[in-house]
Amino acid sequence: METDGTLLGPSTFEECCALFAEAWENTNAGDGSVWSWLTPSRRNGEEHLAAGFLVLERFPIFSSQTDGANRDESLSWEREQEGLLEEYPPLSSRTLQEDSAVDALAASAHDPQRSLKFLDLHIVYSPSYRVPVLYLRCYRSDGKELSWDDFDGILPSKQEKKSQTLETFMSQEEHPHLRRPWFAIHPCQTAELLCLMHQQELLSTSCPQSSYISSHKTAVGNRRSTLLRYMLGWFSVVGAAVGVKLPLEVFRQI
Amino acid sequence: MTDKELRNELWTGAIPIRLTLVDNEIATMSPPEQMYVMAPRMGYLQTLATQAYEHFQEFLPPGDTRFWLDYEGLPLKWSIPTGVLYDLLAKKRDLPWELTVHFRTFPDEVLLKCNDSQTVRAHFYNSLKEAMYIMYGSAGSVMQLSQQVQTQLWKSIEDGMDMETYDTSTSTLPSSTTQPNKSIRAVPVRMYLMGDKRVASDDPQVGFASMSMTWDHIVCSSRPVPSVDAVNGCGSLGNLLQKVLPELFAAEEKETNEVNVSVSQVPSSMDADTLADAIRTHLSVTSVEGMVLDTARGTASMTVKSMHRSRDEICQQISEGACELELATCKLLLESPVVEQTLVSQAEVWIQGMQLPLSTPLEWLCTNLRHPDCFVHLIVRMPCRLL
């Protein structure tokens, strides 16, 4: 399938990040958390990377006992692939006492204690796939970083049907800008997935596929909503894989 | 050497390595003997783990085992093929390659975790998918391989470079020679740039550790490279390097106003003089020399002199003039770069253990010199001041 319609260039990526950060802040999606754009110095040989990347630090997640309700709520990849956006329960303002916030995350049954953990999320551009990639690290409140094995207990449970293991969509990679081992969600499926999600839109507009995203002929408002829709669509899939759901409100920003 | 013979050479190429157990892991009175092994160039060092453990295990102190290697104090990244590591890091082609083996104190902050060969396999497949995506716009062909074929493919690399099994396993991928020739969108290149502090020193004892060199001094990146360039035509190795690291080339450009031009589809009625006149007029060049006209084939080649001295200006002039050329059926082709590219001294460019001419087409590199993961691994070593 042609995926040109959803592929970004490095400068469009920067634009997308700015729109995404703005939408996030406007809807208080993370209860006061804010994405910042970092521009590290680029060395020779790195001119093909984007000028910077988007950072969200200390995003709290909870793990708790699973029950039937929680399991059903965790998103499955298959349903995402059909292009349906789930109706998420809006995230209430997050405090340690709020149980409803916990609903956003499933955890393994063998961890009965509610334990507070944090995610650092980085949205980084991939020149090979021409899509954003989510890099993350997870750590406890005392700062201790979680290892690969610990992740299984934190993240949404495996797909019901295909029983995909964590390895099929996440792996440890070298962060392109920080050059240290980080965890990353594989971009290989993202590009094709995004194309499916936007296929409807591509068919309904008259823009040629190859210039869909970066076309300057569309009105400014259209361009803004197109790019934002792209980013929110992307994040709703990859964020869900690590248990970070976008509230419905944020889609009204488009 | 034919392309097929070249491919055989690549698949059988290996590097002699001598492994020494690190001092602080010797728990016995007498130290273990060093281990000698031939490691395939296109394979991964991590596959030596089992063999090395068998050789050294009785000398180790108790504890969990996590195999890793270092060269002159620099931990070796296991996701990089053996030959690439050697071409990038080794001093002046010294053999056997002296490496230190460790089974404890895995450097988690530098190296990606690697508990077993499954991790190396996963990384290999990620690279292969990335390369397929860059070449054909989809990684689906790899993801659709059955578990059995995937295992077979990986085994062909892990168990000592079995080219036949590799070819069978990859026969359904668009990159395979058994598939109808599908043109690639871009060449997957993995580039390793090293500013080598050791270059400045004549002392053979000088190593990474003594020069405080780490992986931060080496820029590793993957990128898609268009195989055809709007300005340069067929992309070459030199074009790519010029774009990424212009500092690599000698500062003074050879100034010349000569360009080689070839013309095709010349009408059979036309003679050399008429053609030369037409070109002189319509391309506004100062002279046309060395015309060779093949009336039967309808092709001609010549050297034209322009008033301009910059390559870009000459190209511009010729493209504009070609549009006005009355000989509507003639096609003009710009050949050979005006500026000769030479690398600055002490700079080296290596692919698969070879230093190739800068004019080598990228597409040829992609087809003939790629690794099993379908990437072209390109190494640039240069004096530190250039990075």
Side-chain angles (χ1 to χ4, degrees), chain A residues 89-135:
Chain A
L91 286 175
S92 53
S93 68
R94 204 189 298 282
T95 64
L96 283 169
Q97 289 79 35
E98 286 281 355
D99 277 73
S100 53
V102 171
D103 288 351
L105 311 136
S108 65
H110 63 259
D111 178 16
Q113 273 105 21
R114 190 159 304 141
S115 38
L116 177 61
K117 299 203 175 44
F118 297 95
L119 283 178
D120 280 351
L121 298 177
H122 289 194
I123 300 181
V124 181
Y125 178 72
S126 160
S128 300
Y129 288 98
R130 295 171 67 80
V131 290
V133 180
L134 189 69
Y135 283 78

Side-chain angles (χ1 to χ4, degrees), chain B residues 187-371:
Chain B
V187 176
V189 173
R190 206 155 264 176
M191 217 183 279
Y192 307 83
L193 306 180
M194 179 163 79
D196 199 345
K197 283 192 203 172
R198 301 171 301 173
V199 161
S201 163
D202 285 331
D203 184 355
Q205 295 302 313
V206 156
F208 285 108
S210 53
M211 297 300 277
S212 315
M213 277 186 69
T214 64
W215 282 101
D216 284 335
H217 295 92
I218 303 171
V219 181
C220 307
S221 68
S222 303
R223 62 171 74 218
V225 181
S227 54
V228 177
D229 203 286
V231 172
N232 300 302
C234 172
S236 70
L237 180 57
N239 296 148
L240 171 61
L241 292 170
Q242 182 81 43
K243 190 175 159 216
V244 174
L245 204 61
E247 297 87 346
L248 206 53
F249 294 89
E252 324 86 50
E253 273 188 11
K254 250 172 80 179
E255 266 198 349
T256 172
N257 54 1
E258 278 182 17
V259 181
N260 291 339
V261 167
S262 68
V263 187
S264 62
Q265 297 177 9
V266 179
S268 50
S269 53
M270 184 164 291
D271 63 43
D273 288 330
T274 320
L275 180 60
D277 278 335
I279 288 186
R280 207 173 296 122
T281 323
H282 291 275
L283 296 195
S284 313
V285 293
T286 51
S287 76
V288 175
E289 285 164 7
M291 161 93 70
V292 174
L293 173 63
D294 184 337
T295 330
R297 283 220 192 92
T299 58
S301 66
M302 66 215 84
T303 306
V304 307
K305 275 210 175 95
S306 156
M307 321 172 299
H308 299 295
R309 284 189 172 270
S310 112
R311 184 164 197 274
D312 289 336
E313 281 172 335
I314 297 175
C315 289
Q316 176 94 0
Q317 177 194 357
I318 290 185
S319 344
E320 280 170 4
C323 302
E324 294 169 11
L325 209 60
E326 260 176 22
L327 313 156
T329 54
C330 287
K331 277 177 14 179
L332 227 67
L333 191 69
L334 198 63
E335 276 181 12
S336 65
V338 169
V339 175
E340 237 176 64
Q341 294 176 310
T342 45
L343 294 178
V344 92
S345 82
Q346 292 180 321
E348 297 172 353
V349 175
W350 296 91
I351 302 177
Q352 293 273 21
M354 298 181 274
Q355 289 183 295
L356 299 164
L358 294 174
S359 54
T360 314
L362 288 168
E363 202 156 336
W364 185 88
L365 288 177
C366 183
T367 318
N368 295 286
L369 291 189
R370 65 181 180 216
H371 274 69

Side-chain angles (χ1 to χ4, degrees), chain A residues 41-237:
Chain A
S41 56
R42 280 188 294 187
R43 302 172 296 175
N44 277 344
E46 291 182 329
E47 88 295 339
H48 63 304
L49 301 180
F53 58 101
L54 212 55
V55 170
L56 183 70
E57 288 181 324
R58 279 186 82 82
F59 187 81
I61 57 172
F62 299 82
S63 55
S64 76
Q65 252 171 329
T66 45
D67 52 37
N70 274 350
R71 277 222 187 85
D72 287 343
E73 274 191 65
S74 68
L75 291 168
S76 76
W77 279 96
E78 252 182 12
R79 279 184 289 168
E80 283 304 307
Q81 280 162 9
E82 284 158 27
L84 303 168
L85 292 175
E86 294 287 313
E87 287 274 332
Y88 312 129
L91 286 175
S92 53
S93 68
R94 204 189 298 282
T95 64
L96 283 169
Q97 289 79 35
E98 286 281 355
D99 277 73
S100 53
V102 171
D103 288 351
L105 311 136
S108 65
H110 63 259
D111 178 16
Q113 273 105 21
R114 190 159 304 141
S115 38
L116 177 61
K117 299 203 175 44
F118 297 95
L119 283 178
D120 280 351
L121 298 177
H122 289 194
I123 300 181
V124 181
Y125 178 72
S126 160
S128 300
Y129 288 98
R130 295 171 67 80
V131 290
V133 180
L134 189 69
Y135 283 78
L136 63 139
R137 54 180 213 107
C138 190
Y139 47 97
R140 296 204 300 243
S141 42
D142 59 4
K144 181 166 192 294
E145 208 162 317
L146 257 61
S147 71
W148 178 265
D149 300 317
D150 298 333
F151 261 111
D152 252 335
I154 299 296
L155 301 180
S157 51
K158 307 166 189 176
Q159 259 211 51
E160 294 102 350
K161 284 185 190 170
K162 287 179 187 161
S163 62
Q164 281 186 14
T165 58
L166 204 58
E167 281 88 6
T168 52
F169 64 89
M170 193 167 101
S171 66
Q172 206 190 28
E173 303 288 335
E174 197 165 287
H175 192 296
H177 295 279
L178 304 182
R179 301 188 289 275
R180 292 289 176 272
W182 272 65
F183 291 105
I185 307 289
H186 292 170
C188 51
Q189 287 171 325
T190 310
E192 302 191 62
L193 198 65
L194 282 166
C195 193
L196 271 168
M197 288 171 92
H198 286 278
Q199 198 180 20
Q200 194 58 45
E201 226 170 325
L202 289 171
L203 289 172
S204 64
T205 65
S206 52
C207 288
Q209 262 195 341
S210 60
S211 59
Y212 184 63
I213 291 294
S214 52
S215 168
H216 292 287
K217 294 174 193 157
T218 59
V220 170
N222 273 349
R223 179 183 168 77
R224 183 193 167 279
S225 80
T226 304
L227 296 183
L228 184 57
R229 204 174 0 242
Y230 178 92
M231 280 305 275
L232 292 178
W234 170 78
F235 193 84
S236 67
V237 173

